[in-house]
Amino acid sequence: MSILDKTRKSKDPLKQPDMFVSTVDRGWSVVERNSKIVTTLVALLFLGAIVYVSMDFLNRRADRKGSEDLYKVEAQYLKLKDGFEKAKTPEPPPAKDPTKDPKDKTETAKTEPPAQPASGDLQKDYGSVLPGLEQVADKHAGQSAGAQAAVIAADLYLEYKDPDKAVAVLDKVVTKQSSNDLMYGVAHLLRGSALAAKGDCNQAVSDWQKVVDSKNNKFLHPDALLKSGVCYETLKQSEKAMEMYKKVTQDHADTQAAQAAKTYLRAMETTANSAQPNAG
C-alpha cells in the first residue's frame, strides 16, 4: 500500500495528503513502474565510473612509463651536453696547498679527464642518444614525455642545421597534444622555427598562430608574435610584420621580445620613410 492510499483511509481532513506528499507519492509510483529503466541507468552510471577510473589509471600508468623512458635517455643527453659546455670554458686547475709538502705523495688528487668539445657532427656528438629520443617520441606521442623527447631531438637537429628532420620528429607529437598543455605551445613554437629555417614562412606563421591562440601558453606569445613579424618581413608583407611587432610591444611590453620588436619596428619605419620621395 502506497503512502497516498494509507492517507486516503483517514476521515480526518487534516490528515488528507498535502501537495508535497502527493508529489512524492506520484514520483515514487513512477519509479516503481520504471524500476527496470532506473536499474539500467544506475548500472550504466556505475559502469561509466569504472571505465573512467580504469582509463585514468591506465593514463597515469602510461604517463609514468613515458616519464621513466624519457628520464633514461634524457640523462644521457644532459651528460653529453654538459661535457660539451664544460669544454668551452675549462675549469682552472685546483690551487696548490702551501702547507703541504710537495714531496708527500701519500695523497694524489683524482682528476677527471678533460671534457672534449663538440665535433660539429651530430652523429658523432649525439648519435648515441638520438635514436632513444625518437623512440620515446614515437612510443609516447600523446603524452608530455613524448613531446619533450621530440622537442629535445628537434632542437638538436636545428642546432646542427637539419630543419627537415626537426620538422619530421615534431610531426609525430604536435597533433596529439592538447592545446591546453605546455608542450603543445613549445612543440608548435619550435616547429615554426624549423619551418622558417626551411624557408617555409607561411606554414611557420600558421604554427606560431596556434601558440598565440593557446591561452594556457601565454608566456610563449611574445616569442611567437616576434617570430611571426620576422617571417612576414621575409615574405615582404610589411604591414603584417609591423602589426606583429606593435602587438608585442603593446601587449607584452616588459619582455625581451618587446625590446627586439621595438628595434625591428624602428628599422622598418626608417626604411619606409627613406623610401618616400622628397616633397617638392
Side-chain angles (χ1 to χ4, degrees), residues 105-121:
K105 300 185 181 299
T106 55
E107 292 184 9
T108 56
K110 295 182 179 179
T111 58
E112 295 183 359
Q116 298 298 316
S119 69
D121 184 295

Side-chain angles (χ1 to χ4, degrees), residues 73-234:
V73 68
E74 188 179 27
Q76 299 172 30
Y77 158 74
L78 291 174
K79 184 177 180 179
L80 290 171
K81 186 176 180 65
D82 185 57
F84 295 144
E85 290 298 323
K86 284 182 178 179
K88 291 179 181 178
T89 53
E91 296 181 2
K96 294 181 179 180
D97 186 352
T99 62
K100 185 178 178 180
D101 186 353
K103 296 181 180 179
D104 184 6
K105 300 185 181 299
T106 55
E107 292 184 9
T108 56
K110 295 182 179 179
T111 58
E112 295 183 359
Q116 298 298 316
S119 69
D121 184 295
L122 179 58
Q123 287 304 317
K124 289 181 180 178
D125 295 339
Y126 291 100
S128 60
V129 297
L130 273 172
L133 289 169
E134 296 229 23
Q135 186 177 10
V136 174
D138 277 325
K139 188 176 179 181
H140 306 285
Q143 299 158 23
S144 177
Q148 290 179 59
V151 164
I152 294 173
D155 192 53
L156 283 174
Y157 284 130
L158 278 178
E159 183 181 346
Y160 285 79
K161 314 300 181 186
D162 195 344
D164 289 303
K165 287 186 178 179
V167 173
V169 70
L170 288 169
D171 281 346
K172 299 176 181 180
V173 300
V174 287
T175 59
K176 297 182 180 180
Q177 302 297 310
S178 169
S179 61
N180 296 322
D181 293 341
L182 166 65
M183 294 311 300
Y184 172 90
V186 174
H188 274 291
L189 188 71
L190 190 59
R191 185 173 183 271
S193 297
L195 288 164
K198 287 178 59 177
D200 190 354
C201 262
N202 283 310
Q203 187 58 46
V205 168
S206 177
D207 269 60
W208 292 326
Q209 186 59 47
K210 289 182 173 67
V211 179
V212 175
D213 291 339
S214 175
K215 295 181 180 179
N216 286 4
N217 282 281
K218 192 171 182 179
F219 75 103
L220 296 175
H221 291 184
D223 285 335
L225 290 167
L226 180 66
K227 289 175 180 291
S228 296
V230 173
C231 249
Y232 279 127
E233 275 201 79
T234 303

